[in-house]
Amino acid sequence: MQVITSVKDIKLKVKAIKDSQLTIGFVPTMGALHEGHLSLIHTAKKENDEVIVSIFVNPLQFGENEDFHQYPRTLDDDCRLLSKEGINALFCPDRSEMYPAGFCTSVVLNNLEDMLCGKSRPGHFRGVAVVVLKLFNLIQPDSAYFGQKDFQQTVIIKKMTRDLHLDSTIKVLPTVRDQGGLALSSRNAYLTELEKRDAYCLYRSLVKAQSMADSGIRNAGKIIREIENILNSYKTVTIDYISIVNPETLESVQEVQSGSVVALAVTIGRTRLIDNIILA
Ligand code: PAF
């Protein structure tokens, strides 16, 4: 596997692929790779001639009191896994390569960046948008792959791609869960055994939301109150938000319908977890 760390070299690699008229599938990550990333990589491999994976723990998307320094960095293991998967190009620049001294450009998402997770993580989605835009400019993917777990991120990236006329198709793949239903996330590594056991209540509460909708309950408030009751019955869980939203605008809905998204964020111990379900 070619491990590329400089902007100059990734541009050369992309040019060589484009000159050969091959398609590029791109899987952007922050490393600490798990089955969720692998499902993106497997689909990218099926749908493209070449797959480029990036690993970059993007400082711009972490708030001052967030976990930038603790975020798991497992580059050697990640490289082994990617080689085993037959990936032939990994882009893993360092901070100064991505943000040279004097870097000052931002991407503003207006309404979308202040909702849901954006409320308690100010600046987070600007950081995501700017790094994804830079990566798209460098890698020029035909398709780029993201997990549904980060639902708001996928909405924002799709919107940015449309608004800025970027030539990439955004593919969103279902959340990969462990056997108990916990959405896979690099941050799950922070959970103690007890916290992890409690974290299963997130998915249980989402399944309950689906079963309420299935039984004909349309009132979003009622479903949210039920989720709240479930989550509040765990001492370790502190709710950030529970919302039922329109899948494109992220505006709250009063009445749920097929396609509405139940999204939630909680803190368990020192770990912030998010999850969501698209109602059938
Ligand atoms: O979802 C992630 O891992 C990150 O937000 C992303 C898209 C790689 C940007 O840093």
Side-chain angles (χ1 to χ4, degrees), residues 28-30 37 56 58 61 128 131-132 146 150 153 157:
T29 81
M30 298 205 297
H37 299 111
F56 178 62
N58 172 32
Q61 68 188 76
V128 170
V131 81
V132 170
F146 297 87
D150 299 294
Q153 168 170 284
I157 290 167

Side-chain angles (χ1 to χ4, degrees), residues 26-279:
F26 175 44
V27 183
T29 81
M30 298 205 297
L33 301 178
H34 50 65
E35 288 293 330
H37 299 111
L38 289 185
S39 105
L40 305 180
I41 288 169
H42 293 158
T43 308
K45 279 181 72 177
K46 267 189 226 132
E47 297 182 351
N48 300 275
D49 301 317
E50 292 276 348
V51 174
I52 298 180
V53 175
S54 69
I55 294 181
F56 178 62
V57 184
N58 172 32
L60 259 54
Q61 68 188 76
F62 289 80
E64 254 177 40
N65 298 318
E66 294 186 351
D67 56 340
F68 174 69
H69 293 291
Q70 294 86 52
Y71 198 86
R73 287 160 172 86
T74 57
L75 190 59
D76 291 346
D77 289 346
D78 293 346
C79 283
R80 266 192 293 276
L81 192 65
L82 293 172
S83 300
K84 216 170 99 202
E85 290 296 326
I87 296 300
N88 59 30
L90 166 67
F91 180 47
C92 54
D94 69 14
R95 183 181 185 145
S96 63
E97 193 68 18
M98 285 303 271
Y99 301 119
F103 180 87
C104 65
T105 301
S106 188
V107 178
V108 179
L109 288 310
N110 289 330
N111 306 341
L112 289 177
E113 66 177 34
D114 298 323
M115 310 168 118
L116 305 176
C117 288
K119 269 197 194 131
S120 36
R121 303 192 69 192
H124 168 67
F125 289 111
R126 284 188 190 192
V128 170
V130 86
V131 81
V132 170
L133 180 58
K134 283 166 70 72
L135 290 167
F136 278 16
N137 282 335
L138 292 172
I139 289 162
Q140 299 171 44
D142 294 276
S143 298
Y145 297 80
F146 297 87
Q148 187 197 308
K149 179 179 73 67
D150 299 294
F151 189 77
Q152 184 170 11
Q153 168 170 284
T154 66
V155 171
I156 281 173
I157 290 167
K158 279 190 206 156
K159 188 81 172 82
M160 176 181 79
T161 304
R162 232 181 1 249
D163 287 354
L164 300 182
H165 306 294
L166 304 179
D167 284 329
S168 301
T169 303
I170 305 304
K171 307 262 175 101
V172 179
L173 300 189
T175 302
V176 177
R177 301 179 180 280
D178 73 9
Q179 282 187 336
L182 179 63
L184 297 191
S185 160
S186 307
R187 289 193 168 95
N188 292 351
Y190 303 150
L191 296 168
T192 63
E193 275 307 306
L194 173 73
E195 289 167 350
K196 189 167 177 194
R197 214 181 56 206
D198 286 357
Y200 289 117
C201 71
L202 269 62
Y203 185 58
R204 276 204 296 277
S205 74
L206 294 172
V207 170
K208 177 71 183 175
Q210 179 65 69
S211 78
M212 288 175 80
D214 289 344
S215 73
I217 297 170
R218 296 278 145 230
N219 184 303
K222 192 164 179 183
I223 298 177
I224 289 172
R225 278 192 297 281
E226 182 60 29
I227 297 177
E228 210 166 50
N229 288 338
I230 295 173
L231 300 183
N232 279 336
S233 65
Y234 292 82
K235 275 208 191 77
T236 52
V237 176
T238 307
I239 298 171
D240 177 3
Y241 68 80
I242 305 165
S243 297
I244 306 187
V245 300
N246 174 295
E248 275 165 32
T249 63
L250 300 181
E251 301 279 0
S252 291
V253 298
Q254 303 300 317
E255 199 159 291
V256 303
Q257 42 188 288
S258 162
S260 301
V261 177
V262 185
L264 54 82
V266 305
T267 308
I268 301 190
R270 64 187 181 102
T271 310
R272 189 169 193 281
L273 295 177
I274 56 174
D275 205 347
N276 66 78
I277 193 171
I278 303 176
L279 292 174

